[in-house]
Amino acid sequence: MDTRKTIYMDHAATAATDPEVVEAMLPYFAEKFTNPATLYTPGRGNDEVIEAARETIAKVIKADPGEIYFTSGGTESDNWAVKGVALASEKKGRHIITSAIEHHAVLEPCEFLKKRGWDITVLGVSDTGLVDPADVEKAIRNDTVLVSVMHANNEIGTIEPIADIAKITRAKGVIFHCDAVQTIGKIPVDIKALGVDMASASAHKFYGPKGVGFAYIRKGTRVETFNHGGGQEAGRRAGTHNVPGIVGMAKAIELADARLGDGARLTSLAEMLWKGLVNSIPDMLRNSPQGNSLPGFLNIVVEGVEGEAMLLRLDGKGVCVSSGSACTTGSLEPSHVLLAIGLPAEVAHGSVRFTLGRENTEEDVKHVIKEFPKIVAVLRQMSPTYKPDCRKGGLPYAI
Amino acid sequence: MQYSKKVLEHFAEPHNVGTMDDADGVGEVGNAVCGDVMRIFIKVKDDRIDDIKFQTLGCGAAIATSSMVTDLAKGKTLDEAMTINRDNVATQLDGLPPVKMHCSNLAADALHAAIEDYRKKQAAKAG
Ligand SMILES: Cc1ncc(COP(=O)(O)O)c(C=O)c1O
């Protein structure tokens, strides 16, 4: 076991809440605890706090404050978009278009609707994970009510041509939802320039608290209410506001926006990591497209080794990453994203995702470049499928 | 999902890793499409498993169960080794997460396949 500090390289999964964010949230638990809807003196102010947060967020993504709706996170925002549009447009049609690499928070609601009679077209992607806008155009029919394509993929980091797709949906009068959970707070997002009708965001991806997010709903977009109850969020999303969460999210997006410049550093760190690994590990593929990935993203597959085994050994060296192997997806199938970009299942099981963030340094990358090739060599030594006749007996490295 | 300490120990430092040029029996189970392949090599002397090696492609549980099976089988008579099953292996490792019980606990099957391979070869020799 290595004694050095933990090197966290799983920022696409979640990130540590920024201490400044925590500080901004603290007063809203016990001291300023009141329900924003109350009228008595101690409760006054929390409604303004909520509205100030809405304005902060709207300003960062260049939306109108009235187009921002607070939710419990990315999953809720995605569910709201898919099911809310489906229900609001039932009379127009029951056809939805999405892509094969969407997050489960989009794909599962689509599956749910499919069982209830909706027709779902799932568009394939290129070997770098790109959705072709021409495919979207071809798939749109008279009864199409929604197109949902993510801004950037959470496993391989590919950034999609959202503005091009939006031009098509706008011309055809179809609502366009974009899961921007991986991009908002990480790369510049100008929601009006993207041209989407709806977008999803989640605070914990940009160093905010977990369990809070927002939905952008362009004025005039017809979406059914998802959470019925009290009249919060203009009657469209009921539930007492998560005041500390919302305050934290606004602080987090403000801080993230001021640090967008860090993206260039993260991109070059991921590049350094790739170069270091590819120099010393044969039979390895890169899944994150060079030049069109989110900052800090490096998804690779290593032949003849299984992902969870690499993940656990990296953990033994203090490095936290994730994998798209069946063992780590919790099903019998490897990641649907890796299969969609054309990797055979036996290759996809060997995936490792490094997602770098704020606190990662060149030293961290060097540590991985030093340790990971040894891990791969040891596991390949054990592997009956990796050139089994080349090696015998003992291990070349101490474990 | 949490692995027991024993599983992690066997995963970090697996026993009896390797291949054998002159194995008396070889058993292989699983397939790469599912993400798990195990191969076990045995050397048999006086009806006992005199030496045993394994190679495994797979997750932490797959590697740890392979290591445990080789430990359990070493020195046993072939009949005794045939009684080692998935449940014994999991118990000896202080349990496995439920999702791993089926897909990544194939090592006992690989051992049985190696013994059967040995017996088949012996039968062929005996003519
Ligand atoms: C692309 C994408 N969409 C949706 C989600 C779900 O967001 P949340 O964890 O806030 O529910 C995630 C994160 O897990 C994601 O990466």
Side-chain angles (χ1 to χ4, degrees), chain A residues 12-13 72-76 78 103 105 150 152-154 179-182 201-205 211-212:
Chain A
S72 65
T75 301
E76 186 191 327
D78 284 346
H103 192 271
M150 67 202 321
N153 182 262
N154 52 298
D179 176 340
V181 168
Q182 288 291 340
S202 181
H204 71 98
K205 306 287 186 184
V212 60

Side-chain angles (χ1 to χ4, degrees), chain B residues 23-125:
Chain B
D24 295 322
V26 182
E28 182 173 313
V29 295
N31 76 65
V33 175
C34 300
D36 281 312
V37 182
M38 293 175 199
R39 193 181 288 163
I40 284 186
F41 304 83
I42 53 171
K43 196 91 195 120
V44 180
K45 208 158 132 193
D46 303 332
D47 205 45
R48 277 181 192 278
I49 296 181
D50 188 45
D51 196 9
I52 183 162
K53 295 268 184 241
F54 83 86
Q55 281 197 308
T56 290
L57 162 73
C59 63
I63 289 170
T65 53
S66 304
S67 169
M68 180 52 85
V69 157
T70 57
D71 274 359
L72 291 175
K74 210 174 209 172
K76 292 234 167 41
T77 67
L78 296 182
D79 283 341
E80 282 164 354
M82 284 302 279
T83 67
I84 297 170
N85 61 34
R86 293 180 182 200
D87 287 339
N88 312 142
V89 175
T91 308
Q92 291 292 326
L93 285 166
D94 297 336
L96 280 177
V99 291
K100 302 284 186 181
M101 277 306 284
H102 296 291
C103 63
S104 305
N105 190 4
L106 303 172
D109 301 2
L111 171 66
H112 299 167
I115 294 170
E116 275 154 22
D117 179 54
Y118 166 75
R119 284 180 167 161
K120 216 182 301 161
K121 281 178 185 154
Q122 290 304 106
K125 261 191 223 160

Side-chain angles (χ1 to χ4, degrees), chain A residues 274-289:
Chain A
W274 166 249
K275 288 202 189 92
L277 295 182
V278 79
N279 273 339
S280 45
I281 302 174
D283 302 315
M284 191 177 81
L285 277 177
R286 171 181 182 149
N287 300 317
S288 302

